[in-house]
Amino acid sequence: MAADMGEGETDVQGGPVRHIPVLLREVLVALAPASGETIVDGTFGAGGYTAAILDAGAEVIAFDRDPDAIAAGAAMVEASGGKLKLIHAKFSELLDHVEEASLDGVVLDIGVSSMQIDEAERGFSFMRDGPLDMRMGQSGVSAADVVNRAKPSDMTRIFGILGEERKAGRIARAIEAERLKAPFETTRQLAGLIEKVSPRRPQDKIHPATRVFQALRTYVNDELGELARTLFAAERALKPGGRLVVVSFHSLEDRIVKRFFQDRAGKASGSRHLPMVAERQSTFTLIGKQPLTAGEEECAINPRSRSAKLRAGLRTTAPAGKTDADILPVPNLAALAALGG
């Protein structure tokens, strides 16, 4: 997977990159795959983690919502000798395909695939002109639907919260004025407008459109909601002693993962103004340092690893906790379905 912009921001939406699994060594240490085990790779992508897990002797059930990734993985399935099952589905649909308490591990690499960025027709990158799409699953509401139909106030929240764009309101109002002349259809069309509203300064490390494109992609694919639902599903799918390993690239994603593990490991801080609640059994114990980050050598080889953070937990024997999305910091934004598609 390719990284999102995180605290160590990079111009992610740029040109083609070679697929390099991020924090692979650290992932394998935390996941500890072994012969006879069954591991879920929830974000198959180009199969980097899956290949390494198979090499360790474990069987893999891999998920991807992108039909192109599923098609590209067919050769790996064939070569695995029955040890790899590839499923075209969102990773939040995990429990539709595996039994509860059946897995030895779940690994998630949260981010857009380098393959998707490289394909102009997918509309993830403004460096290659293409349709303003950004749908990982290639269906549903597109980025063009959002910029052509969303209210300026909703776009302001999307750009400001999901992209942490400081000029979100100004960009949203400019989009509203421009779409009255002609609808937005291409990546360059939108990027060009953003450049006019927010020109790039010599000291800027990233393109002015990077944060807006990141926000649109995150919103269109409901990435934060998907992550939250998957964490709860993984908790139920893991057997005692199973391991959950998550690599995230953006601060919003990392906050969700951090808060989940804090809650499930009994380390979430409460408020001194609220009444005491009954103590719950921890469903995870934390594995190692939290979070792990890439070393200098990996960052030099793969700059996108600079913003990667790895968090991991070991499943205890306690029953899975209540699925309560309110404990996780998932922003409340305009309903995606209302924008049509």
Side-chain angles (χ1 to χ4, degrees):
M1 288 291 180
D4 290 326
M5 285 178 357
E7 292 167 359
E9 292 173 329
T10 56
D11 214 338
V12 171
Q13 316 293 347
V17 296
R18 180 167 56 91
H19 175 79
I20 305 173
V22 173
L23 291 170
L24 178 60
R25 180 176 56 191
E26 292 82 355
V27 164
L28 292 177
V29 170
L31 195 60
S35 180
E37 294 186 340
T38 301
I39 309 291
V40 157
D41 181 352
T43 46
F44 177 72
Y49 288 165
T50 287
I53 295 166
L54 289 170
D55 286 345
E59 296 187 2
V60 179
I61 303 171
F63 289 75
D64 206 295
R65 66 162 80 176
D66 188 343
D68 289 352
I70 299 298
M76 188 181 291
V77 174
E78 182 68 23
S80 73
K83 295 183 68 176
L84 170 60
K85 182 179 181 181
L86 197 50
I87 298 174
H88 181 209
K90 299 175 182 178
F91 49 44
S92 64
E93 298 169 348
L94 172 65
L95 289 171
D96 292 340
H97 302 276
V98 303
E99 298 293 328
E100 293 195 19
S102 66
L103 300 177
D104 297 286
V106 174
V107 60
L108 305 171
D109 176 358
I110 310 301
V112 63
S113 167
S114 57
M115 298 182 301
Q116 294 167 335
I117 291 176
D118 290 348
E119 297 170 2
E121 64 270 18
R122 299 299 299 274
F124 286 97
S125 172
F126 47 73
M127 299 300 288
R128 294 181 171 196
D129 198 22
L132 190 57
D133 194 321
M134 304 192 194
R135 297 171 296 179
M136 292 180 179
Q138 303 186 32
S139 63
V141 176
S142 70
D145 293 324
V146 177
V147 298
N148 288 319
R149 301 179 187 180
K151 294 186 289 188
S153 58
D154 289 335
M155 284 192 289
T156 298
R157 284 179 52 77
I158 292 167
F159 303 158
I161 295 174
L162 299 183
E164 299 178 327
E165 171 55 61
R166 291 183 293 274
K167 298 178 181 177
R170 189 185 307 174
I171 293 170
R173 291 189 294 273
I175 288 173
E176 181 190 32
E178 192 69 18
R179 73 190 184 189
L180 293 176
K181 304 173 188 176
F184 285 89
E185 296 178 346
T186 70
T187 55
R188 287 276 175 86
Q189 187 182 0
L190 177 59
L193 175 68
I194 296 170
E195 284 184 280
K196 292 178 183 177
V197 176
S198 180
R200 188 169 191 167
R201 301 169 301 175
Q203 66 267 33
D204 290 341
K205 295 180 180 180
I206 62 173
H207 189 282
T210 301
R211 294 186 179 91
V212 170
F213 270 64
Q214 172 191 288
L216 283 170
R217 193 208 75 225
T218 303
Y219 178 69
V220 162
N221 296 290
D222 188 23
E223 293 179 36
L224 301 184
E226 278 291 301
L227 172 58
R229 289 187 288 273
T230 304
L231 294 174
F232 290 122
E235 179 185 36
R236 292 168 56 191
L238 286 166
K239 62 177 65 170
R243 294 167 179 246
L244 174 59
V245 180
V246 187
V247 177
S248 61
F249 297 92
H250 190 278
S251 57
L252 295 176
E253 299 162 348
D254 183 59
R255 284 176 210 149
I256 291 171
V257 180
K258 178 181 179 180
R259 184 65 179 79
F260 175 81
F261 277 131
Q262 284 179 334
D263 181 82
R264 291 334 206 204
K267 297 182 181 296
S269 58
S271 169
R272 61 188 177 89
H273 301 294
L274 296 177
M276 293 291 291
V277 295
E279 186 175 342
R280 293 183 286 108
Q281 288 183 289
S282 297
T283 59
F284 282 95
T285 56
L286 304 184
I287 298 174
K289 176 188 173 184
Q290 303 279 321
L292 279 178
T293 56
E296 291 183 8
E297 182 179 351
E298 179 172 1
C299 290
I301 297 171
N302 184 11
R304 290 191 173 120
S305 67
R306 290 175 186 152
S307 59
K309 293 183 178 181
L310 183 154
R311 297 183 186 274
L314 183 72
R315 189 71 171 85
T316 70
T317 58
K322 180 182 178 182
T323 299
D324 181 7
D326 290 339
I327 70 169
L328 303 180
V330 178
N332 183 19
L333 300 170
L336 185 62
L339 299 176

